[in-house]
Amino acid sequence: MKHPFVRVIVLALAVTGLLMAAIPGMAQEAAPTPAPNPNANISWPPPVFVVSGDENIYGSANLPNMTNYFISFRPLNDDLTPAVTEFLPAVLPATAAVQDDVLGVWTTDLVDDGLYEIRLTVNVRGGQPVTHQVGPLRVQNEPPPPYVIVDEPSVTAPPIGQAGGGQVIAPPAATQEVIAPPTATFDPTPRASVRGANANVRSGDGTEFLILTSLGQGQSVVIVGISARGTGWYQVRLPDGRLGWMAPSVVDVSGNLNTVPSVQPPPPPPTATPLPPTAVPATAVPASSANLVAGVVVFDPNSPTCAQTFTVGFDVANLGSTATTASGTVGLTDVRAADGSVQGTTVGGFPVLQPGQTFRVNMPLTISTWYNETHRITLTIDSGNAVPESNEGDNTRTIEYTLQRGSCP
């Protein structure tokens, strides 16, 4: 597969010059690094590269006995040291082997512009995970300053400082023309686009429902509703007109979600009758002894105000006996309590959690509708069940607040 190498020629040179100017010792010869595993590596983007929007991550994850792989990221300081210890999810876990192809898509507009490094983790059954890191990368979603063209008029200068009569002559003022960047057209239609290699569309808002079809990477469908059960799943309309449900962890959302109604999903299918204890094989073991639990929720500032961004802090704890096999996401949905209509959604991420570890996921949120009324926020850990755990029933937390009017009309 060919990669878009053309754009690295200009961007890499520009970023290299910027980094070398800002970081003492950057130009010194670095110690040689070991070659990455050809079956567990990131081949694109390369170090010292500018990324923006939805960036394809190329490489390989094709080790014997591989259980899954995922890609995570963390910010870097200006001297290229890690700004934080933990890596957050960039591409959710996948189980299909990949060789010299797209590992996933990193949605970079969910993070602040700046320096980052990314890491591929390949989990192997019965062995240690194999990792490969690439950095520094510069995320630049905000456009650079507009180009400025300066036209200097051709003027023949008189003798220095003097003209007839002894009058001091000032140099002619330069004129400039500012070329503004083009204005993007916003499509308000709420849509869901497949983030990974593929995503399932189910008959209800959970993995226990029947799979209707699968969509490929980049395919987009219109969102017509959001689950009233608080799972965060979207009801979508397929190209053939059928309605189905998709998990928020497998799609990127665009458009205006404020007009999307709350929809009552179908009841969960009946669960299978468990076998008598004597019929359970003696060798049966739980799929995972990690257990993600929803913790406390805090607001900053304490009283959310109309049209002003506030932060929702949500504690995610692993109360199991083993570490999680991958990083994961938290879905947030804000609804008007009076009618259940969705007023805002967002997604946060948490790293791999060790047994007993708690991580606070901070998610910025701005709500500009229905002030002086009660709002209900539902937070759901790993709504797509991408992280195996022993108990999926303690992953949701709901909290209510009154939105203050502030300066809203």
Side-chain angles (χ1 to χ4, degrees):
M1 172 169 288
K2 295 182 178 179
H3 301 311
F5 286 111
V6 175
R7 83 180 154 138
V8 75
I9 297 175
V10 175
L11 292 174
L13 289 174
V15 178
T16 301
L18 184 146
L19 289 173
M20 292 176 66
I23 304 169
M26 180 71 180
Q28 297 179 3
E29 184 177 356
T33 56
N37 189 316
N39 296 317
N41 68 83
I42 296 173
S43 60
W44 185 272
V48 193
F49 191 73
V50 175
V51 296
S52 62
D54 290 339
E55 190 72 29
N56 283 336
I57 308 297
Y58 290 82
S60 299
N62 190 18
L63 294 175
N65 298 319
M66 182 182 79
T67 58
N68 64 21
Y69 74 86
F70 61 95
I71 299 174
S72 49
F73 71 93
R74 67 179 175 185
L76 300 176
N77 297 313
D78 289 341
D79 61 357
L80 303 188
T81 58
V84 298
T85 303
E86 300 86 358
F87 281 82
L88 296 176
V91 175
L92 293 177
T95 57
V98 176
Q99 188 69 45
D100 298 325
D101 210 330
V102 177
L103 293 166
V105 179
W106 182 20
T107 305
T108 66
D109 50 17
L110 296 178
V111 303
D112 296 331
D113 285 3
L115 296 174
Y116 291 85
E117 64 179 345
I118 57 177
R119 181 178 70 181
L120 168 68
T121 301
V122 181
N123 289 310
V124 179
R125 185 180 297 106
Q128 293 297 316
V130 178
T131 62
H132 180 223
Q133 292 179 210
V134 173
L137 302 173
R138 179 173 291 279
V139 172
Q140 184 173 303
N141 287 300
E142 291 297 324
Y147 294 102
V148 177
I149 300 177
V150 178
D151 297 325
E152 296 184 358
S154 178
V155 178
T156 302
I160 297 175
Q162 296 290 328
Q167 181 181 3
V168 177
I169 302 295
T175 61
Q176 65 180 19
E177 178 185 0
V178 177
I179 302 177
T183 303
T185 302
F186 175 70
D187 181 5
T189 305
R191 301 179 187 275
S193 301
V194 176
R195 179 184 302 163
N198 55 70
N200 292 327
V201 181
R202 296 180 179 268
S203 60
D205 63 334
T207 56
E208 68 272 21
F209 287 91
L210 180 68
I211 297 177
L212 301 179
T213 187
S214 292
L215 301 179
Q217 185 177 33
Q219 280 192 270
S220 178
V221 287
V222 176
I223 298 174
V224 297
I226 190 168
S227 173
R229 200 157 36 215
T231 61
W233 283 52
Y234 299 110
Q235 187 182 44
V236 300
R237 187 179 301 280
L238 295 170
D240 59 9
R242 289 183 297 163
L243 295 179
W245 294 83
M246 300 187 73
S249 58
V250 299
V251 296
D252 293 319
V253 176
S254 61
N256 183 11
L257 290 176
N258 291 333
T259 60
V260 176
S262 179
V263 177
Q264 186 64 40
T271 57
T273 303
L275 295 173
T278 55
V280 178
T283 57
V285 295
S288 172
S289 53
N291 183 28
L292 297 174
V293 177
V296 300
V297 181
V298 295
F299 294 152
D300 183 20
N302 189 49
S303 297
T305 302
C306 179
Q308 296 182 17
T309 300
F310 63 101
T311 299
V312 181
F314 178 46
D315 285 353
V316 178
N318 177 13
L319 301 186
S321 58
T322 65
T324 59
T325 58
S327 55
T329 59
V330 171
L332 182 155
T333 303
D334 184 294
V335 302
R336 182 191 182 199
D339 57 10
S341 58
V342 176
Q343 306 304 309
T345 61
T346 189
V347 177
F350 58 89
V352 171
L353 297 180
Q354 300 300 319
Q357 182 182 359
T358 299
F359 183 84
R360 174 156 294 180
V361 182
N362 291 311
M363 291 164 282
L365 185 66
T366 306
I367 303 298
S368 304
T369 49
W370 304 111
Y371 58 77
N372 292 338
E373 288 199 26
T374 300
H375 287 239
R376 182 181 301 116
I377 285 180
T378 300
L379 298 128
T380 305
I381 303 171
D382 188 35
S383 58
N385 295 329
V387 180
E389 54 176 316
S390 58
N391 180 13
E392 301 283 353
D394 49 8
N395 290 3
T396 302
R397 180 75 68 202
T398 300
I399 188 170
E400 293 186 346
Y401 71 95
T402 300
L403 185 66
Q404 305 301 311
R405 175 177 177 178
S407 59
C408 282

